[in-house]
Amino acid sequence: MEFLWLPFRNRNRALLTLFGVAIGVFAATMMGAMATHFSRLASRFEQSIKGKIIIRERVGFLSGGIIEESRIKDILGLPGVGDAVGGLVVRLHPKEMIVLGLPDLVVGIPPEKISLLYPHIPILKGRTLRKGDRFSCVVGADIRNEFSLPLSGMLTIGDHPFQVVGFLERGGGQEDRQVWIPLDCAQEIFHRDGLVSHIVVLPREGIDPEILAPEIEKKIKGLDAVTPMRLSRQVRQSIFLWRLITLGTGVLAVIIGGLSLLNTITFTVLEQTAEIGLKKALGASNGDILIEIASDGLVLSSAGGTLGIVSASVFVFFFNQYLQERGMSLFTLTWGLVFGVWILSVVAGAGIALIPAWRASHIDPALAMRGK
Amino acid sequence: MAFLECLHLTRNYGKGAVTVTAVQDVSLQVEKGEFLCLTGRSGSGKTTLLHLLGALESPSTGAVYLDGREITRFSPRMKSHLLRTRVSFVFQSLNLITSLTILENTVLPLRYSRVKRMERIEKGRKVLQEVGLGKRLGAYPSELSGGEMQRVAVARALAKCSDLLLADEPTGELDTATAREITDLLLEVNRVHGTTVVVASHDPYVVGKAARVVELRDGKIS
């Protein structure tokens, strides 16, 4: 086990390197957690729109209540349409002008259609909305934390108190920031009687939504039929830049940590040139020296990587809690990410250490012992 | 053929006009179990000749034979094996790895030979006992005197049972009494274990004790 403490012969330098690697890995993990969060948001969104066509007024469905509910009947009469459900989406905090990330949303939805529209979102506690419910709501995980809501507690939406009847399980998607209420209540409190902000169309079995959507647009004038592929493309494009920035910063952090390691191993080799010469005079092969020096890098990168990942995990845990209490979420840490970053730090560390290790292994022992 | 033999050895350093010849056309035979002293002034080529005899560096021309095999033609891997098993060096200074205990230093060549740990420790204890350091196994080089460090280097040669010990000014940095102790230890190793010893030294005590003395002057045998 001697190889474990040998890199710490010069304790100060080893510790500085270890912290250098740890900071790099910490930053890489944080950036990775942020990129994972965005990816998961996109995936959840794609899952929620899979096989569905969103019909909206051309000005956008977040503006709310500008499609007449009666048009649902027209859509239902079209060939290939299985079902059509109207919904009313309004911001929970309409006075907030600037929102970082996704806004909190109130979703008015016919209770009997919930299982049809959101079969992938399980209820964590309580129950979902039922037909006949009035001023009841089901709350997403972030909203629950933001308002510290208990089951059967009250949430004020548009100056009206709603009783919480259930909580959605955290999924890492937009639903964490949603409050579901019965559509008729939403229309009533937001003064949108007979209006919806969008219509979700479910094609009949075997009907391709990408083919059905243009047909709907042709026959129902003034509406935009957005297909899952088009929505998915829009979402991917909007998060692409974010992912590029986070991943780029993560890679930069790993490179900086790696340079710190390279610096230390190079100095260690320079400092130990005579000792390396002596070892070769005692019969150490090039391979023995290569392994000894590279294992220094491996130990430092493994230890630094572990420290960086552990500190990033602790930070993410507490920071996520802090954010969730304020109704936000920013990081998603997965085992895959943790192991991926750790393996990357170890492999990169060993790879970087191989450069000075290779040079050390080819030192001429006679010259090295003469101090040349 | 002698146990150790070199023929027309020449070692040049540098290139072109700045070439320095450290050893020039040296031929030498050393019999098995002999105690030979290479003497000469500083810069006469003693250290370079020792390095060439022990395959630590390669000659510009000429050849070295050990037990009839031309070691100058050995691959780097074979040279490493030779240094691990048959040839030992004792240097004037910098004999030990500072981060290792004297026991670990003693058995380092055995570690490179993949000898099992317990076997290494047993062997190390025994030879350190033999050189009078049996009670200081866990000490680090910084805690040792110059004479004790040389003893560890000799113990290391004993640990791997090498049959050729090449000592480069082993008494160069020691006081007279300690220098004599180390010389006597080398003589004892030669007598008891039959190890062939070649010492490069200009210490009169070593020169006086050697069975044969070869003097080098400007890289040549005078």
Side-chain angles (χ1 to χ4, degrees), chain A residues 2 275 278 283 288 292 370, chain B residues 13 84 98 111-112 114:
Chain A
E2 176 196 323
E275 282 196 359
L278 175 61
D288 290 325
E292 273 186 30
R370 286 176 175 151
Chain B
Y13 293 109
R84 276 200 299 271
T98 51
R111 201 179 85 186
Y112 293 133
R114 314 287 184 257

Side-chain angles (χ1 to χ4, degrees), chain A residues 101-279:
Chain A
L102 298 166
D104 296 344
L105 297 176
V106 178
V107 181
I109 183 170
E112 67 277 13
K113 301 285 187 182
I114 284 179
S115 58
L116 197 68
L117 295 181
Y118 303 109
H120 59 288
I121 305 176
I123 297 290
L124 177 72
K125 208 172 172 187
R127 63 171 177 83
T128 189
L129 295 174
R130 288 184 195 137
K131 194 171 181 183
D133 271 345
R134 294 279 295 162
F135 297 98
S136 301
C137 66
V138 173
V139 173
D142 284 343
I143 306 281
R144 177 191 179 185
N145 288 335
E146 186 180 349
F147 293 96
S148 306
L149 290 168
L151 198 62
S152 304
M154 302 305 283
L155 175 67
T156 303
I157 303 169
D159 299 329
H160 294 266
F162 278 72
Q163 186 175 42
V164 179
V165 295
F167 295 121
L168 299 176
E169 194 172 291
R170 177 176 293 283
Q174 169 66 62
E175 70 275 6
D176 292 343
R177 314 190 63 84
Q178 289 182 353
V179 183
W180 295 350
I181 63 173
L183 178 61
D184 54 354
C185 287
Q187 289 169 326
E188 187 180 327
I189 64 169
F190 294 114
H191 314 292
R192 296 285 190 274
D193 288 340
L195 298 171
V196 290
S197 53
H198 66 281
I199 299 164
V200 179
V201 173
L202 295 139
R204 278 186 197 284
E205 207 176 314
I207 301 292
D208 185 349
E210 304 297 328
I211 295 168
L212 180 60
E215 294 299 316
I216 296 172
E217 275 185 354
K218 264 189 228 165
K219 285 169 185 157
I220 312 289
K221 298 290 174 198
L223 296 179
D224 195 9
V226 187
T227 63
M229 205 183 282
R230 196 172 130 198
L231 263 177
S232 176
R233 196 168 50 241
Q234 283 174 3
V235 169
R236 293 272 159 200
Q237 275 172 354
S238 64
I239 68 160
F240 176 73
L241 192 64
W242 271 103
R243 288 188 68 190
L244 207 64
I245 292 167
T246 50
L247 288 177
T249 314
V251 169
L252 201 65
V254 168
I255 290 172
I256 291 167
L259 285 177
S260 154
L261 185 70
L262 179 64
N263 182 48
T264 294
I265 302 293
T266 304
F267 267 93
T268 306
V269 168
L270 281 175
E271 216 176 48
Q272 293 176 17
T273 302
E275 282 196 359
I276 291 166
L278 175 61
K279 284 176 180 175

